[in-house]
Amino acid sequence: MKAKKIRVGYGIFLSVFTCALGIAFIAVALSIFADGNWQQGAYSSEIVAERLFPVSIVFYLWIAAIIAGFVLSEVYPYNEKPVNKIKESVTLKRLSLRTPEGSGEEYERDMRKIYVEKRSRIIVYCVSAAICFAAGIASAVYMLNSANFPTGVVVNEAMLDMFANVGPWIFAAFGACIALTLYEKYSMLKEITILKSLITSNKGNPVKAADVKPVNAILVKIKSVCSSGYFLWSVRGAFGVIAVTFIILGIFNGGMRDVLYKAINICMECIGLG
């Protein structure tokens, strides 16, 4: 109980600290804008770096608070009770293993309905994947074409043209994924209802033999290794080291200053912060 109170208190503290840090960043941006005409260099990288220096100290304290939270989770471990929420896919898999044998017109009709639901989900998967793939290819072709981003064009115009050409593809991909999620749940619930009715009406009949494919021992071993905690933490650690390495290299070769300057230009010319 003590561990739970400590973790809840820390969560409240970190939430308030995060909101305060965000307000501090906004206040610095507004103070720079209020000082004078931003069109004559008020948002230069030197001024922004100078104004953000005091806030950067608070930012480092925020990073330290996150690290302290990780230490607290190790010192005061708290195992929450798992929520017994079963997914539709798990329920469907369990019911499929209990599909009874049977005969008759009603039994064949229910089995055909189950087959139709399975086939329709596969079709929807393929259509959604095709839409996302086409959207990715079309967006990449436009984004990688340097002719679409000439240097002499105002940033606003280039961004509007990009949105007009890439935006519909992005919306189509998101729409396909959302439709897939909704239809998958609807279809699974429908199949679960059919299976429950089928099991109830054929109660006492032997379970229908499932088509079991031979399992390759090598694939089982690979799956076991890939799903182990050590492997997952190793992958995360490797990506973390790579990320920190590239960040350090970017700081030393002046990339951080370039990114800051480009971010300022985007805020002022594209988003319209001024």
Side-chain angles (χ1 to χ4, degrees):
M1 192 66 182
K2 180 180 178 181
K4 182 179 180 180
K5 290 182 178 179
I6 292 175
R7 291 166 72 95
V8 171
Y10 167 77
I12 296 173
F13 164 75
L14 185 62
S15 300
V16 174
F17 196 178
T18 303
C19 293
L21 181 62
I23 293 173
F25 275 115
I26 295 174
V28 170
L30 292 177
S31 67
I32 298 174
F33 177 74
D35 283 347
N37 190 356
W38 58 268
Q39 292 180 341
Q40 296 182 3
Y43 274 95
S44 64
S45 58
E46 291 78 11
I47 295 177
V48 172
E50 179 183 355
R51 293 294 185 89
L52 285 179
F53 179 74
V55 183
S56 65
I57 299 175
V58 182
F59 176 75
Y60 294 138
L61 293 176
W62 179 72
I63 296 294
I66 295 177
I67 298 174
F70 176 76
V71 175
L72 283 176
S73 65
E74 296 295 326
V75 176
Y76 297 99
Y78 174 71
N79 297 323
E80 297 182 0
K81 294 181 179 179
V83 180
N84 188 17
K85 185 178 180 181
I86 302 176
K87 296 182 179 180
E88 291 83 4
S89 58
V90 177
T91 303
L92 182 59
K93 185 177 180 179
R94 291 178 178 177
L95 291 176
S96 298
L97 295 175
R98 295 171 52 193
T99 304
E101 294 182 353
S103 60
E105 184 178 350
E106 184 178 356
Y107 179 85
E108 295 296 333
R109 183 174 63 251
D110 289 339
M111 293 300 294
R112 282 196 299 270
K113 290 180 180 179
I114 294 174
Y115 172 76
V116 169
E117 292 300 325
K118 293 181 181 294
R119 185 181 61 180
S120 64
R121 286 200 299 273
I122 294 175
I123 294 174
V124 173
Y125 294 151
C126 295
V127 172
S128 179
I131 293 175
C132 292
F133 181 76
I137 294 297
S139 301
V141 168
Y142 183 87
M143 297 290 291
L144 295 176
N145 187 1
S146 59
N148 296 323
F149 302 95
T151 55
V153 178
V154 181
V155 177
N156 280 341
E157 297 180 2
M159 296 300 294
L160 290 174
D161 291 339
M162 182 189 70
F163 182 78
N165 288 275
V166 178
W169 289 105
I170 296 176
F171 288 133
F174 272 106
C177 293
I178 294 172
L180 169 62
T181 303
L182 296 176
Y183 182 79
E184 181 184 39
K185 184 173 183 178
Y186 166 78
S187 178
M188 284 186 175
L189 290 174
K190 188 176 179 180
E191 186 176 347
I192 288 172
T193 303
I194 299 172
L195 278 171
K196 287 181 178 179
S197 175
L198 192 67
I199 293 172
T200 303
S201 60
N202 293 275
K203 190 176 182 180
N205 292 357
V207 176
K208 188 176 181 181
D211 297 331
V212 180
K213 297 181 179 180
V215 181
N216 193 326
I218 299 178
L219 295 178
V220 173
K221 183 65 175 178
I222 294 175
K223 183 179 180 180
S224 176
V225 172
C226 293
S227 60
S228 65
Y230 294 106
F231 177 80
L232 294 177
W233 277 109
S234 299
V235 173
R236 292 168 184 169
F239 277 107
V241 171
I242 294 173
V244 172
T245 302
F246 278 108
I247 290 173
I248 295 174
L249 292 175
I251 293 174
F252 279 106
N253 66 9
M256 184 176 67
R257 178 179 295 272
D258 295 338
V259 171
L260 178 61
Y261 183 74
K262 292 178 181 178
I264 294 170
N265 289 337
I266 289 176
C267 289
M268 301 313 301
E269 297 181 8
C270 175
I271 301 175
L273 184 62

